[in-house]
């Protein structure tokens, strides 16, 4: 199936741990994104990558770092997890200006 | 800074009714506007994309309009069905492909 996929779908972890969320797209898109959806369901962009170059970096803590090994992948690494990091994280990709979203990863920090 | 607002926050209608969801944005310098659907615990599905030069887009029972100068868009759903129950999000794209989302309208269609 052509799509944007994320793993894992659910992630439960203790405060202070380091975790990663993986994202892959097989749509051949040039740009990939990470969004955070908070408890109030508000979606906000965190990062985007275009041809392995970071082009947007909103005011997110530097504990969050995107890593793009190639054009089809944009992984999100989070260090020293905090309770406030609990949210749903969505990956997306685009070619042009229509974005396609992954199914989301629900992160719960205990 | 771009701000996107959706009203109402929640809407409940009986099956078969036509309905309109509203979206407004503060900065008219957009490239496009997208309407998404989000089902509980699921990802986002793109419904309609309207380029800044367009006034409307239609897909099946859905029709989205865009008035860029006034910073408004509407999503019209005809003959609503229980399967339409979901949260509907609008989002505008600005420079550098930055997508700004509204807070969504939670729609419930009652059988």
């Amino acid at each position: 199936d052509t799509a944007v996929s994320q793993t894992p779908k659910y992630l439960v972890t203790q405060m202070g741990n380091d975790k990663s969320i993986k994202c892959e797209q097989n749509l051949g898109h040039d740009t990939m994104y990470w969004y955070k959806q908070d408890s109030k369901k508000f979606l906000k962009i965190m990062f985007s990558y275009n041809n392995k170059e970071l082009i947007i970096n909103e005011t997110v803590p530097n504990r969050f770092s995107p890593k793009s090994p190639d054009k089809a992948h944009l992984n999100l690494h989070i260090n020293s997890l905090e309770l406030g990091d609990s949210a749903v994280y969505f990956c997306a990709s685009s070619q042009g200006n229509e974005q396609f979203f992954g199914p989301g990863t629900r992160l719960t920090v205990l | 800074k771009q701000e996107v607002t959706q009203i109402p926050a929640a809407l409940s209608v009986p099956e078969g009714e036509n309905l309109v969801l509203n979206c407004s944005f503060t900065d008219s310098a957009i490239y496009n506007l997208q309407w998404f659907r989000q089902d509980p615990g699921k990802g986002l599905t793109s419904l309609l994309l309207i380029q800044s030069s367009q006034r409307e887009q239609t897909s099946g029972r859905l029709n989205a309009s865009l008035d860029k100068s006034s910073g408004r868009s509407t999503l019209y759903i005809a003959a609503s069905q229980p399967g339409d129950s979901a949260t509907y999000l609008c989002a505008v794209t600005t420079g550098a492909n930055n997508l700004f989302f509204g807070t969504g309208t939670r729609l419930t269609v009652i059988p």
Side-chain angles (χ1 to χ4, degrees):
Chain A
D1 289 341
T2 54
V4 181
S5 58
Q6 295 178 228
T7 53
K9 189 172 182 181
Y10 299 98
L11 183 55
V12 181
T13 188
Q14 298 286 335
M15 214 166 48
N17 284 349
D18 303 336
K19 291 293 178 184
S20 295
I21 307 172
K22 294 185 178 181
C23 177
E24 177 181 2
Q25 56 94 6
N26 60 5
L27 298 164
H29 289 168
D30 284 335
T31 308
M32 295 183 71
Y33 311 81
W34 277 104
Y35 290 84
K36 178 180 180 180
Q37 187 174 40
D38 61 25
S39 57
K40 296 181 180 178
K41 306 297 184 187
F42 186 63
L43 266 156
K44 188 172 181 180
I45 190 164
M46 300 176 72
F47 302 103
S48 74
Y49 256 77
N50 185 319
N51 291 325
K52 303 181 74 171
E53 179 186 356
L54 181 67
I55 59 173
I56 300 175
N57 185 349
E58 292 291 316
T59 54
V60 299
N62 58 14
R63 298 181 295 104
F64 291 79
S65 56
K67 299 252 187 326
S68 181
D70 54 57
K71 198 172 84 164
H73 296 83
L74 183 65
N75 304 324
L76 183 64
H77 298 272
I78 316 170
N79 295 324
S80 303
L81 277 156
E82 300 178 356
L83 294 177
D85 297 333
S86 295
V88 181
Y89 293 84
F90 287 98
C91 177
S93 71
S94 71
Q95 184 79 19
N97 52 26
E98 183 173 10
Q99 295 192 19
F100 297 85
F101 283 75
T105 295
R106 181 175 293 278
L107 171 65
T108 303
V109 182
L110 303 176
Chain B
K1 184 184 173 184
Q2 181 72 265
E3 291 185 5
V4 183
T5 305
Q6 291 184 246
I7 52 171
L11 181 63
S12 186
V13 299
E15 182 177 1
E17 264 199 19
N18 304 326
L19 59 102
V20 175
L21 307 180
N22 296 291
C23 173
S24 61
F25 46 95
T26 54
D27 186 348
S28 62
I30 64 169
Y31 286 105
N32 63 42
L33 183 143
Q34 265 183 277
W35 281 95
F36 293 88
R37 169 185 173 141
Q38 185 175 26
D39 292 282
K42 300 285 179 64
L44 282 76
T45 302
S46 180
L47 298 173
L48 289 164
L49 171 71
I50 311 176
Q51 301 293 351
S52 63
S53 58
Q54 297 175 320
R55 304 246 351 165
E56 67 176 341
Q57 281 285 332
T58 298
S59 175
R61 294 182 294 109
L62 305 180
N63 176 278
S65 69
L66 174 63
D67 184 342
K68 202 174 93 159
S69 60
S70 68
R72 296 180 189 276
S73 175
T74 61
L75 178 66
Y76 175 83
I77 303 178
S80 58
Q81 302 171 358
D84 295 331
S85 298
T87 296
Y88 290 81
L89 295 156
C90 75
V92 296
T93 303
T94 62
N97 262 358
N98 201 353
L99 202 62
F100 288 89
F101 279 87
T103 49
T105 293
R106 190 172 68 252
L107 173 65
T108 303
V109 181
I110 304 165

